[in-house]
Amino acid sequence: MGESTGNENNTAVNTFGTAAIIKGIMLIAAFVLGIVGIVRITDIYRIIIYAGQCIICVALFLFGVLKFKDVEGKFLKITIISYAILEALRASLINVTGVHFAVGVIARFILASLACTCVLMAERMGKESGKRTAIGMLTLEVILYVVFLAGFKGILLGRINRFLPLIGVLIAGTIALLHKEKTK
């Protein structure tokens, strides 16, 4: 029996290490995509959004993955609320010129819903009730990505443009994994 307990402890440590690596890779990929977006895009509003997403990636990496001086999770909550503000800013700055009216409304609605979901996620971080919120946030980001691909013609014009909306999906996935880790 003592041998089994040792294996279970090793498995738990390996799982934690694997989860930290996955979160790190997701955040690094989101950060790199954000930097590429800043360099390649000329629209100032999109540059502001990509810069904000890069800052959120760094903060999530420091306070979520590395837990840099954040034992209580206070700075992680502030980071998630900052992401909510960024999502609200995205909703207000989104350029819907040349996009069907309904698609523009849907994209703005999803972004506003994401902002609200992020605030809920910050409040429910580490609690069992936040599981659905984390899944909902990730689902909304994936739906938003599909709306961007299907309804925004500019997304399909460049090769890199197809991948830039994935930054939000990667950030939401990281937050969902952070929540899963905190509830254990």
Side-chain angles (χ1 to χ4, degrees), residues 64-121:
V65 178
L66 298 180
K67 296 174 183 55
F68 182 75
K69 295 183 181 181
D70 191 26
V71 178
E72 298 172 5
K74 177 182 174 184
F75 293 114
L76 181 60
K77 283 185 178 183
I78 291 170
T79 302
I80 295 172
I81 290 173
S82 299
Y83 187 61
I85 293 169
L86 185 67
E87 292 293 347
L89 187 63
R90 272 177 84 186
S92 66
L93 294 180
I94 191 169
N95 185 1
V96 291
T97 305
V99 176
H100 190 273
F101 174 75
V103 174
V105 168
I106 290 169
R108 282 196 171 130
F109 177 75
I110 292 172
L111 284 166
S113 298
L114 269 166
C116 296
T117 306
C118 289
V119 171
L120 278 175
M121 189 71 248

Coordinates of all heavy atoms in Angstrom, one line a residue, residues 64-121:
G64 N -0.6 33.4 -12.4 CA -1.4 32.2 -12.5 C -0.5 31.0 -12.6 O -0.6 30.0 -11.9
V65 N 0.5 31.0 -13.5 CA 1.4 29.9 -13.7 C 2.5 29.8 -12.7 O 2.7 28.8 -12.0 CB 1.9 29.8 -15.2 CG1 2.8 28.7 -15.4 CG2 0.8 29.8 -16.1
L66 N 3.2 31.0 -12.5 CA 4.4 31.0 -11.6 C 4.0 31.3 -10.2 O 4.7 31.1 -9.3 CB 5.4 32.0 -12.1 CG 6.0 31.7 -13.5 CD1 7.0 32.8 -13.8 CD2 6.7 30.4 -13.5
K67 N 2.8 31.9 -10.0 CA 2.3 32.3 -8.7 C 3.2 33.3 -8.0 O 3.5 33.2 -6.8 CB 2.0 31.1 -7.8 CG 0.9 30.2 -8.4 CD 0.7 29.0 -7.6 CE -0.3 28.1 -8.1 NZ -0.1 27.7 -9.5
F68 N 3.7 34.2 -8.8 CA 4.7 35.2 -8.3 C 4.1 36.1 -7.3 O 3.3 37.0 -7.6 CB 5.2 36.0 -9.5 CG 6.2 37.1 -9.2 CD1 7.5 36.7 -9.0 CD2 5.9 38.4 -9.2 CE1 8.5 37.6 -8.7 CE2 6.9 39.4 -8.9 CZ 8.2 39.0 -8.7
K69 N 4.5 35.9 -6.0 CA 4.1 36.7 -4.9 C 2.5 36.9 -4.8 O 2.0 38.0 -4.5 CB 4.7 38.1 -4.9 CG 6.2 38.1 -4.7 CD 6.8 39.5 -4.6 CE 8.3 39.5 -4.5 NZ 8.8 40.8 -4.4
D70 N 1.8 35.8 -5.1 CA 0.3 35.9 -5.2 C -0.2 34.7 -4.5 O -0.9 33.9 -5.1 CB -0.2 36.1 -6.6 CG -1.6 36.4 -6.7 OD1 -2.2 37.0 -5.7 OD2 -2.2 36.1 -7.7
V71 N 0.0 34.5 -3.2 CA -0.4 33.3 -2.5 C -2.0 33.3 -2.4 O -2.6 32.3 -2.6 CB 0.2 33.3 -1.1 CG1 -0.3 32.1 -0.3 CG2 1.7 33.2 -1.2
E72 N -2.6 34.5 -2.1 CA -4.0 34.5 -2.0 C -4.8 34.6 -3.3 O -6.0 34.4 -3.3 CB -4.4 35.8 -1.1 CG -3.8 35.7 0.3 CD -4.0 37.1 1.0 OE1 -4.7 38.0 0.4 OE2 -3.5 37.2 2.1
G73 N -4.1 34.9 -4.4 CA -4.8 34.9 -5.7 C -5.4 36.3 -6.0 O -6.2 36.5 -6.9
K74 N -5.0 37.3 -5.2 CA -5.5 38.7 -5.4 C -5.1 39.2 -6.7 O -6.0 39.8 -7.4 CB -5.0 39.6 -4.2 CG -5.4 41.0 -4.3 CD -4.8 41.8 -3.2 CE -5.1 43.3 -3.3 NZ -4.4 44.1 -2.3
F75 N -3.9 39.1 -7.1 CA -3.4 39.7 -8.4 C -4.0 38.9 -9.6 O -4.2 39.5 -10.6 CB -1.9 39.7 -8.4 CG -1.3 40.7 -7.5 CD1 -0.5 40.3 -6.4 CD2 -1.6 42.1 -7.6 CE1 0.0 41.1 -5.5 CE2 -1.0 43.0 -6.7 CZ -0.3 42.5 -5.6
L76 N -4.2 37.6 -9.4 CA -4.9 36.8 -10.4 C -6.3 37.3 -10.7 O -6.7 37.4 -11.8 CB -4.9 35.3 -10.1 CG -5.5 34.4 -11.1 CD1 -4.7 34.5 -12.4 CD2 -5.4 33.0 -10.6
K77 N -7.0 37.6 -9.6 CA -8.4 38.1 -9.8 C -8.3 39.5 -10.5 O -9.1 39.8 -11.4 CB -9.0 38.3 -8.4 CG -9.6 37.0 -7.8 CD -10.3 37.3 -6.6 CE -10.9 35.9 -6.0 NZ -11.7 36.1 -4.8
I78 N -7.4 40.3 -10.1 CA -7.2 41.6 -10.8 C -6.9 41.5 -12.2 O -7.5 42.2 -13.1 CB -6.1 42.5 -10.1 CG1 -6.6 42.9 -8.7 CG2 -5.8 43.7 -10.9 CD1 -5.6 43.5 -7.8
T79 N -6.1 40.5 -12.6 CA -5.8 40.2 -14.0 C -7.0 39.8 -14.7 O -7.2 40.2 -15.9 CB -4.7 39.1 -14.0 OG1 -3.5 39.6 -13.3 CG2 -4.3 38.8 -15.5
I80 N -7.8 38.9 -14.1 CA -9.0 38.4 -14.8 C -10.0 39.6 -15.0 O -10.7 39.7 -16.1 CB -9.6 37.2 -14.1 CG1 -8.6 36.0 -14.2 CG2 -10.9 36.8 -14.7 CD1 -9.0 34.8 -13.4
I81 N -10.1 40.4 -14.0 CA -11.0 41.6 -14.1 C -10.5 42.5 -15.2 O -11.2 43.1 -16.0 CB -11.2 42.3 -12.8 CG1 -12.1 41.4 -11.9 CG2 -11.9 43.7 -12.9 CD1 -12.2 41.8 -10.5
S82 N -9.2 42.7 -15.3 CA -8.6 43.5 -16.4 C -8.9 42.9 -17.7 O -9.1 43.6 -18.7 CB -7.0 43.5 -16.2 OG -6.7 44.1 -15.0
Y83 N -8.9 41.6 -17.8 CA -9.3 40.9 -19.1 C -10.7 41.2 -19.4 O -11.1 41.4 -20.6 CB -9.0 39.4 -19.0 CG -9.2 38.7 -20.3 CD1 -8.5 39.0 -21.4 CD2 -10.2 37.7 -20.4 CE1 -8.7 38.4 -22.6 CE2 -10.4 37.0 -21.6 CZ -9.6 37.4 -22.7 OH -9.8 36.8 -23.9
A84 N -11.6 41.3 -18.4 CA -13.0 41.6 -18.6 C -13.1 43.0 -19.2 O -13.9 43.3 -20.1 CB -13.8 41.5 -17.3
I85 N -12.3 44.0 -18.7 CA -12.3 45.3 -19.2 C -11.8 45.4 -20.6 O -12.4 46.1 -21.5 CB -11.4 46.2 -18.3 CG1 -12.1 46.4 -16.9 CG2 -11.2 47.6 -18.9 CD1 -11.2 47.0 -15.8
L86 N -10.8 44.5 -20.9 CA -10.3 44.4 -22.3 C -11.4 43.9 -23.2 O -11.5 44.4 -24.3 CB -9.1 43.6 -22.3 CG -8.3 43.5 -23.7 CD1 -7.7 44.8 -24.0 CD2 -7.3 42.4 -23.6
E87 N -12.1 42.9 -22.8 CA -13.2 42.4 -23.6 C -14.3 43.4 -23.9 O -14.8 43.5 -25.0 CB -13.8 41.1 -23.0 CG -12.9 39.9 -22.9 CD -12.6 39.3 -24.3 OE1 -13.2 39.7 -25.3 OE2 -11.7 38.5 -24.3
A88 N -14.6 44.2 -22.8 CA -15.6 45.3 -23.0 C -15.0 46.3 -24.0 O -15.8 46.9 -24.8 CB -15.9 45.9 -21.7
L89 N -13.8 46.6 -23.9 CA -13.1 47.5 -24.8 C -13.2 47.0 -26.3 O -13.4 47.7 -27.2 CB -11.7 47.8 -24.4 CG -10.9 48.9 -25.2 CD1 -11.6 50.2 -25.0 CD2 -9.5 48.9 -24.7
R90 N -12.9 45.7 -26.4 CA -13.0 45.0 -27.7 C -14.4 45.2 -28.3 O -14.6 45.4 -29.5 CB -12.7 43.5 -27.6 CG -11.3 43.2 -27.7 CD -11.1 41.7 -27.5 NE -11.4 40.9 -28.7 CZ -11.4 39.6 -28.8 NH1 -11.2 38.9 -27.7 NH2 -11.6 39.0 -29.9
A91 N -15.4 45.1 -27.4 CA -16.8 45.2 -27.9 C -17.1 46.6 -28.4 O -17.8 46.8 -29.4 CB -17.8 44.9 -26.8
S92 N -16.5 47.6 -27.8 CA -16.8 49.0 -28.2 C -15.9 49.4 -29.4 O -16.3 50.2 -30.2 CB -16.6 49.9 -27.0 OG -15.2 50.0 -26.6
L93 N -14.7 48.8 -29.5 CA -13.8 49.2 -30.6 C -13.9 48.4 -31.9 O -13.2 48.7 -32.8 CB -12.4 49.2 -30.1 CG -12.0 50.2 -29.0 CD1 -10.5 50.1 -28.6 CD2 -12.3 51.6 -29.5
I94 N -14.7 47.3 -31.8 CA -14.7 46.4 -33.0 C -15.2 47.1 -34.2 O -16.1 47.9 -34.2 CB -15.6 45.1 -32.7 CG1 -15.4 44.1 -33.7 CG2 -17.0 45.5 -32.5 CD1 -16.0 42.7 -33.4
N95 N -14.5 46.9 -35.3 CA -14.8 47.5 -36.6 C -15.7 46.6 -37.4 O -15.3 45.5 -37.8 CB -13.5 47.8 -37.4 CG -13.7 48.6 -38.6 OD1 -14.9 48.9 -39.0 ND2 -12.7 48.8 -39.4
V96 N -16.9 47.0 -37.6 CA -17.9 46.2 -38.3 C -18.2 46.8 -39.7 O -19.2 46.4 -40.3 CB -19.2 46.0 -37.5 CG1 -18.9 45.2 -36.3 CG2 -19.8 47.4 -37.1
T97 N -17.3 47.6 -40.2 CA -17.5 48.2 -41.5 C -17.4 47.1 -42.5 O -16.4 46.3 -42.5 CB -16.4 49.3 -41.8 OG1 -16.5 50.3 -40.8 CG2 -16.7 49.9 -43.2
G98 N -18.3 46.9 -43.4 CA -18.3 45.9 -44.4 C -18.8 44.6 -43.9 O -18.7 43.6 -44.7
V99 N -19.3 44.5 -42.7 CA -19.7 43.3 -42.1 C -21.3 43.3 -42.0 O -21.8 44.4 -41.8 CB -19.1 43.1 -40.7 CG1 -19.7 41.8 -40.0 CG2 -17.6 43.0 -40.8
H100 N -21.9 42.2 -42.3 CA -23.4 42.2 -42.2 C -23.8 42.7 -40.8 O -23.1 42.4 -39.8 CB -23.9 40.8 -42.4 CG -25.4 40.7 -42.6 ND1 -26.2 40.6 -41.5 CD2 -26.2 40.8 -43.7 CE1 -27.5 40.6 -41.9 NE2 -27.5 40.7 -43.3
F101 N -24.9 43.4 -40.7 CA -25.3 44.0 -39.5 C -25.5 43.0 -38.4 O -25.1 43.2 -37.2 CB -26.7 44.8 -39.7 CG -27.3 45.3 -38.5 CD1 -26.8 46.4 -37.8 CD2 -28.4 44.7 -37.9 CE1 -27.3 46.9 -36.7 CE2 -29.0 45.1 -36.7 CZ -28.5 46.3 -36.1
A102 N -26.2 41.9 -38.7 CA -26.5 40.8 -37.7 C -25.2 40.2 -37.2 O -25.1 40.0 -36.0 CB -27.3 39.7 -38.3
V103 N -24.2 40.0 -38.0 CA -22.9 39.5 -37.5 C -22.2 40.5 -36.6 O -21.7 40.0 -35.6 CB -22.0 39.2 -38.8 CG1 -20.6 38.7 -38.3 CG2 -22.6 38.1 -39.6
G104 N -22.3 41.7 -36.9 CA -21.7 42.8 -36.0 C -22.4 42.8 -34.7 O -21.7 42.9 -33.6
V105 N -23.7 42.7 -34.7 CA -24.4 42.7 -33.4 C -24.1 41.4 -32.6 O -23.9 41.5 -31.4 CB -26.0 42.7 -33.7 CG1 -26.8 42.4 -32.4 CG2 -26.3 44.1 -34.2
I106 N -24.0 40.3 -33.3 CA -23.7 39.0 -32.6 C -22.3 39.1 -32.0 O -22.1 38.7 -30.8 CB -23.8 37.8 -33.5 CG1 -25.3 37.6 -33.9 CG2 -23.2 36.6 -32.9 CD1 -25.5 36.6 -35.0
A107 N -21.3 39.6 -32.7 CA -19.9 39.7 -32.2 C -19.9 40.6 -31.0 O -19.2 40.3 -30.0 CB -19.0 40.2 -33.3
R108 N -20.6 41.8 -31.1 CA -20.6 42.7 -29.9 C -21.3 42.1 -28.7 O -20.8 42.2 -27.6 CB -21.2 44.0 -30.3 CG -20.3 44.9 -31.1 CD -20.8 46.3 -31.1 NE -19.8 47.1 -31.7 CZ -20.0 48.0 -32.7 NH1 -21.2 48.1 -33.2 NH2 -19.0 48.7 -33.2
F109 N -22.4 41.4 -29.0 CA -23.1 40.7 -27.9 C -22.2 39.7 -27.2 O -22.1 39.6 -26.0 CB -24.4 40.1 -28.4 CG -25.1 39.3 -27.3 CD1 -25.8 40.0 -26.3 CD2 -25.1 37.9 -27.3 CE1 -26.5 39.4 -25.3 CE2 -25.8 37.3 -26.3 CZ -26.5 38.0 -25.3
I110 N -21.5 38.9 -28.0 CA -20.6 37.8 -27.4 C -19.5 38.5 -26.6 O -19.1 38.0 -25.5 CB -20.1 36.9 -28.5 CG1 -21.2 36.1 -29.1 CG2 -19.0 36.0 -28.0 CD1 -20.8 35.2 -30.3
L111 N -18.9 39.5 -27.1 CA -17.8 40.2 -26.4 C -18.3 40.8 -25.1 O -17.6 40.7 -24.1 CB -17.2 41.3 -27.3 CG -16.3 40.8 -28.4 CD1 -16.0 41.9 -29.4 CD2 -15.0 40.3 -27.8
A112 N -19.5 41.4 -25.1 CA -20.1 41.9 -23.9 C -20.4 40.8 -22.9 O -20.1 40.9 -21.7 CB -21.4 42.7 -24.2
S113 N -20.9 39.7 -23.4 CA -21.1 38.5 -22.5 C -19.8 38.0 -22.0 O -19.8 37.6 -20.8 CB -21.8 37.4 -23.3 OG -23.1 37.8 -23.8
L114 N -18.8 38.0 -22.8 CA -17.5 37.6 -22.3 C -17.0 38.5 -21.2 O -16.4 38.0 -20.2 CB -16.5 37.6 -23.4 CG -16.3 36.3 -24.2 CD1 -15.6 36.5 -25.5 CD2 -15.7 35.2 -23.4
A115 N -17.2 39.8 -21.3 CA -16.8 40.7 -20.2 C -17.5 40.3 -18.9 O -16.8 40.3 -17.9 CB -17.1 42.1 -20.6
C116 N -18.8 40.1 -19.0 CA -19.5 39.7 -17.8 C -19.1 38.4 -17.2 O -18.9 38.2 -16.0 CB -21.0 39.7 -18.1 SG -21.7 41.2 -18.6
T117 N -18.8 37.4 -18.1 CA -18.4 36.1 -17.7 C -17.0 36.2 -17.0 O -16.7 35.5 -16.0 CB -18.3 35.1 -18.9 OG1 -19.6 35.2 -19.5 CG2 -18.0 33.7 -18.5
C118 N -16.1 37.0 -17.5 CA -14.8 37.2 -16.9 C -14.9 37.7 -15.5 O -14.2 37.3 -14.6 CB -13.9 38.1 -17.7 SG -13.4 37.4 -19.3
V119 N -15.8 38.7 -15.3 CA -16.0 39.2 -13.9 C -16.5 38.1 -13.0 O -16.1 38.0 -11.9 CB -17.0 40.4 -13.9 CG1 -17.4 40.8 -12.5 CG2 -16.4 41.6 -14.7
L120 N -17.5 37.3 -13.5 CA -18.0 36.2 -12.7 C -16.9 35.2 -12.4 O -16.8 34.6 -11.3 CB -19.1 35.4 -13.5 CG -20.5 36.0 -13.3 CD1 -21.4 35.2 -14.2 CD2 -21.0 36.0 -11.9
M121 N -16.0 35.0 -13.4 CA -14.9 34.0 -13.2 C -13.9 34.5 -12.1 O -13.4 33.7 -11.3 CB -14.2 33.9 -14.5 CG -13.1 32.8 -14.6 SD -13.9 31.1 -14.5 CE -13.4 30.6 -12.9

